[in-house]
Amino acid sequence: MNHPTSHPIGTPGVRWGAAEVAQWRESQAVKRGYQAEVVSVIDRLRLRFDVAEYGRLEYPPASYPLFVVRSRDWNDALPTMLVTGGVHGYETSGVHGALLFLDRHAADYAGRANLVVAPCVSPWAYERIHRWNPDALDPNRSFREDSPAPESAALMRMVAPLRDRVLMHIDLHETTDSDESEFRPALAARDGLPHEPGEIPDGFYLVDDTAHPQPAFQRSIIEAVAKVTHIAPADEHGEIIGSPVVAEGVIQYALRELGLCAGITEATYKTTTEVYPDSPRATPEQCNAAQAAAVCAAIDFALAHPR
């Protein structure tokens, strides 16, 4: 892979200001439709689930409603399972894997668990196939008090009443070739830093919580997903994206300290999935199925091992 040595926006070594952010924003074009590809699918789920608008993003000239899908047979006596997707809008299977789970598998948990699913947290970025929001902020580094990212703040407000009741939270992501060719160089340019090339792992992996690791939980998901798509191996340094591999296909991050979505609740079981859609060994359908399989395995484990 060829790694760019400079970014077309900004001055090397100088952090972006408002002018550079505006230039970047103006360079982003709509490439697909949130309404046509996501909201229309959510609308079809209304016959089987409770659907609510938990927020709205005003990014003139567009306005984006944010939707949460919940179990219709909600029972406060049951454990609550949280599924989030599309925190990074360009990560397609995170969105469509969550929708696939709802359509094909969620009914299996009726009367056993309360489901809360936010399929597309970042619709502006979904339409532009990008990682950031219009202010060049990464929502998945912005899940913190007084968040500067409206996407993150809206989700946190929605989850707040359930924060202490969620047993399991799975956040659906992808790692793509564009991370290295586009998004990491842009991040370095935005922050006035040099871009240091890295490697993109070929396969599925998980990110556990450094503060509260749950190795058996992570392993159960890896085993389920391995039946659908391949698991990413460690690189020559025993790492995946610069972090030590602690078990097959598993690394750890400090979820809350880094402002990551998977750290927004007190859930006993937390994980972030990472599908690799650019692999010659995986199709888009396979990536969506891998995300759905991960959700099912996560819920199954949590139900079998309640706190």
Side-chain angles (χ1 to χ4, degrees):
M1 182 182 297
N2 293 322
H3 302 291
T5 57
S6 63
H7 195 271
I9 295 175
T11 302
V14 179
R15 188 178 183 87
W16 287 2
E20 289 79 13
V21 171
Q23 182 185 356
W24 169 82
R25 181 168 54 245
E26 290 166 5
S27 72
Q28 304 304 310
V30 173
K31 299 173 183 175
R32 58 186 178 184
Y34 174 62
Q35 179 68 40
E37 298 181 16
V38 180
V39 177
S40 64
V41 179
I42 293 173
D43 284 343
R44 292 197 294 270
L45 295 170
R46 291 178 184 271
L47 294 174
R48 293 179 280 159
F49 301 92
D50 290 338
V51 177
E53 183 177 317
Y54 70 86
R56 183 172 286 264
L57 303 172
E58 300 295 344
Y59 291 138
S63 179
Y64 297 95
L66 299 168
F67 292 103
V68 59
V69 183
R70 298 174 185 257
S71 301
R72 178 150 292 169
D73 56 342
W74 190 278
N75 181 344
D76 285 338
L78 297 177
T80 297
M81 311 292 181
L82 175 63
V83 182
T84 48
V87 172
H88 290 144
Y90 74 102
E91 296 172 0
T92 306
S93 73
V95 176
H96 292 284
L99 293 171
L100 180 67
F101 164 76
L102 284 166
D103 183 44
R104 296 189 184 177
H105 305 289
D108 296 340
Y109 300 101
R112 302 170 60 203
N114 298 319
L115 304 179
V116 181
V117 182
C120 189
V121 174
S122 297
W124 185 93
Y126 177 87
E127 290 196 331
R128 288 152 182 83
I129 313 183
H130 210 284
R131 186 178 181 91
W132 294 341
N133 76 2
D135 297 318
L137 294 175
D138 185 342
N140 206 37
R141 295 298 185 275
S142 303
F143 287 95
R144 57 184 79 252
E145 189 175 352
D146 298 323
S147 174
E151 296 83 356
S152 308
L155 184 69
M156 292 176 73
R157 285 193 298 271
M158 185 271 285
V159 170
L162 303 170
R163 191 171 183 270
D164 297 331
R165 297 174 52 191
V166 173
L167 177 61
M168 187 284 302
H169 179 191
I170 185 167
D171 189 32
L172 310 182
H173 284 255
E174 293 182 344
T175 298
T176 69
D177 287 346
S178 58
D179 286 356
E180 191 59 38
S181 64
E182 179 179 358
F183 301 127
R184 291 175 187 167
L187 174 63
R190 186 199 68 181
D191 294 346
L193 301 172
H195 169 54
E196 299 181 2
E199 295 183 13
I200 300 297
D202 184 355
F204 179 95
Y205 64 99
L206 295 171
V207 182
D208 196 2
D209 186 10
T210 302
H212 303 285
Q214 293 286 345
F217 171 64
Q218 309 295 333
R219 184 172 63 251
S220 71
I221 300 172
I222 290 292
E223 290 173 352
V225 172
K227 299 173 184 177
V228 180
T229 192
H230 59 291
I231 307 303
D235 63 18
E236 61 181 4
H237 305 293
E239 298 176 339
I240 291 176
I241 61 166
S243 294
V245 172
V246 297
E248 182 187 14
V250 181
I251 61 174
Q252 296 177 347
Y253 276 4
L255 300 180
R256 188 161 296 171
E257 289 83 352
L258 292 173
L260 303 183
C261 183
I264 64 174
T265 74
E266 297 297 332
T268 300
Y269 304 110
K270 309 172 189 177
T271 197
T272 301
T273 67
E274 294 287 354
V275 169
Y276 180 48
D278 296 315
S279 173
R281 301 166 60 189
T283 65
E285 294 76 18
Q286 202 172 5
C287 291
N288 293 344
Q291 300 279 26
V295 175
C296 291
I299 296 174
D300 289 343
F301 186 94
L303 288 175
H305 303 86
R307 58 188 175 196

